[in-house]
Amino acid sequence: MNKEYKDMLSELHFSEEQKENMVDRLMRAQLEPVQPKKRRRPIGRTVAAIAAVAAVMSMGAGAVYSGLASDAFSAIFGTEQTEIIDKIGKPLGVSDTDAGITVTADAILGDEHNLNVVFTLTKDDGSSWDVTDAKTLSFGEATVSLNHLGGSHGGAWFVDEDPNDNQIQYVEQITVDDGSIPMGSAKASMPDLTVYDSQTGDVQQVIEGNWNLRFDVQYEDSSVELLTDPVQVVTDAGTATVTEVRLSPVGFRVSGYYEAFNAETQQMADNYEATSGREPDDSPFRRMRDVPVVMTLKNGETVDLGTYAGGSANMSDRSFTLSGCYESAIYNLDDVESVTVGDVTLPVTAQ
């Protein structure tokens, strides 16, 4: 029985000593005689008791998030599009504690190819973070692993919504270049908090720790396809046939291929030698993805989606993908007039 109770607590983040003490108390409670003239407890009272204790303790550790997705994302995207965020986003509420810091995955939001996860870091002693610029903070080698074997790109940053409290927010954005975001489970691994010194260029470790979380990837994909038939657009690499233009409140995706490169791009491709590290500016792959994509809102404002774009390119079939999440905004598709790819403008009709 003792082992059964330990197993029921195995998903919670407590020390072995804490688990032993809790099990001992519950075992003693089970062996105590029931006092007369009191209501008889159900046969399964000990199992029910341990489940209740587990639930209460997990809530205390931040493992149950009772708020809305828009509450969690307000520090990242503001409060203007809360209805959209709550419609397509999902609360999470999974925590891990180390080095006096509790990291909680609060909520998730995305579309077929783009994903946003927001985390809250809470100082367990109640002290403030005392960070001049939250964007100088970083994890050592933070990774969010999906059930996806293909390429991806993205970004991450910290936001301190209230410098006087003991919490700070962290957002991770992921865009899958080939295929779709797989629904199911994901893992986040976040070791060591560091801070970047802009004066010296040094990165210093400020908290040594390791936070590991597992959470569900489930949300509503609200993206719309803007193309009914392929269109041809002129780019710096040649004439591209665009086969996909998708837009959602959180991101976009453009895919296509080149029947042939222009002379300059073909020469770059013939002379290209693969190297490790950052892709050079004169790479033919970069040139293939250099497709102008501009979103126009109904109020006349324009958004250069290329600012948020990454993607992939394949030399064998001359295919390319350009995609990304908007960095710090959510767009209601009812407010979008059109998307222009190259010299072709496509109207947006929200579904």
Side-chain angles (χ1 to χ4, degrees):
M1 290 290 287
N2 191 302
K3 181 178 184 299
E4 178 186 353
Y5 300 149
K6 284 185 183 178
D7 291 343
M8 294 180 72
L9 294 172
S10 62
E11 295 300 320
L12 301 179
H13 303 288
F14 306 111
S15 68
E16 288 301 318
E17 182 180 359
Q18 289 172 316
K19 292 178 185 178
E20 288 284 353
N21 290 340
M22 182 188 299
V23 171
D24 289 343
R25 287 196 298 272
L26 289 167
M27 291 295 290
R28 286 197 299 271
Q30 183 188 32
L31 296 174
E32 288 175 1
V34 178
Q35 298 298 321
K37 299 181 182 180
K38 297 270 182 91
R39 181 179 297 173
R40 185 168 176 244
R41 297 183 185 225
I43 293 174
R45 64 189 173 95
T46 305
V47 175
I50 197 168
V53 171
V56 170
M57 295 188 74
S58 67
M59 287 176 66
V64 176
Y65 182 75
S66 59
L68 300 171
S70 59
D71 296 334
F73 278 107
S74 63
I76 312 302
F77 298 127
T79 58
E80 185 177 350
Q81 302 293 353
T82 56
E83 184 177 350
I84 297 294
I85 293 173
D86 288 331
K87 179 184 176 183
I88 64 178
K90 299 292 183 184
L92 292 174
V94 180
S95 298
D96 192 18
T97 300
D98 191 20
I101 306 294
T102 295
V103 177
T104 302
D106 285 327
I108 193 168
L109 180 71
D111 60 26
E112 185 178 354
H113 305 285
N114 302 291
L115 174 69
N116 293 266
V117 188
V118 64
F119 302 83
T120 295
L121 282 69
T122 303
K123 280 193 172 185
D124 297 341
D125 63 4
S127 62
S128 63
W129 279 88
D130 192 26
V131 177
T132 304
D133 182 2
K135 288 198 173 184
T136 62
L137 279 176
S138 180
F139 284 109
E141 289 288 342
T143 59
V144 175
S145 303
L146 306 172
N147 259 337
H148 177 69
L149 301 178
S152 64
H153 65 274
W157 67 94
F158 282 85
V159 175
D160 194 358
E161 190 173 24
D162 182 359
N164 297 317
D165 68 9
N166 64 331
Q167 295 186 329
I168 196 167
Q169 289 72 40
Y170 172 77
V171 64
E172 182 94 25
Q173 293 186 325
I174 300 173
T175 295
V176 168
D177 297 326
D178 47 348
S180 303
I181 297 283
M183 297 294 110
S185 65
K187 295 185 295 184
S189 176
M190 303 172 178
D192 301 335
L193 273 169
T194 63
V195 64
Y196 172 73
D197 188 333
S198 60
Q199 299 294 324
T200 64
D202 295 333
V203 176
Q204 298 179 343
Q205 178 178 294
V206 291
I207 297 176
E208 181 180 1
N210 195 6
W211 299 268
N212 297 284
L213 304 92
R214 187 185 296 270
F215 54 88
D216 290 333
V217 179
Q218 295 290 340
Y219 52 79
E220 180 180 334
D221 174 22
S222 60
S223 60
V224 295
E225 172 60 57
L226 305 186
L227 280 182
T228 54
D229 297 297
V231 296
Q232 289 192 328
V233 301
V234 177
T235 77
D236 287 343
T239 300
T241 299
V242 177
T243 56
E244 176 189 31
V245 180
R246 297 192 71 84
L247 190 71
S248 84
V250 301
F252 73 101
R253 180 180 176 91
V254 175
S255 299
Y257 64 92
Y258 293 87
E259 290 284 358
F261 295 140
N262 57 29
E264 185 177 358
T265 305
Q266 187 61 57
Q267 184 178 15
M268 291 172 63
D270 293 340
N271 296 333
Y272 178 75
E273 294 183 6
T275 58
S276 60
R278 184 179 181 274
E279 185 181 342
D281 291 338
D282 61 349
S283 159
F285 300 102
R286 185 182 295 272
R287 193 177 180 88
M288 290 169 66
R289 298 194 307 269
D290 191 13
V291 180
V293 183
V294 176
M295 178 171 65
T296 301
L297 306 183
K298 291 180 179 178
N299 64 7
E301 178 187 351
T302 60
V303 182
D304 181 2
L305 298 185
T307 304
Y308 311 114
S312 63
N314 189 325
M315 195 65 70
S316 62
D317 60 4
R318 300 188 183 91
S319 64
F320 68 91
T321 296
L322 188 69
S323 55
C325 298
Y326 317 128
E327 182 175 321
S328 55
I330 295 290
Y331 292 99
N332 187 335
L333 298 191
D334 288 335
D335 299 331
V336 181
E337 181 72 30
S338 63
V339 171
T340 300
V341 182
D343 55 353
V344 175
T345 297
L346 305 169
V348 174
T349 303
Q351 298 177 355

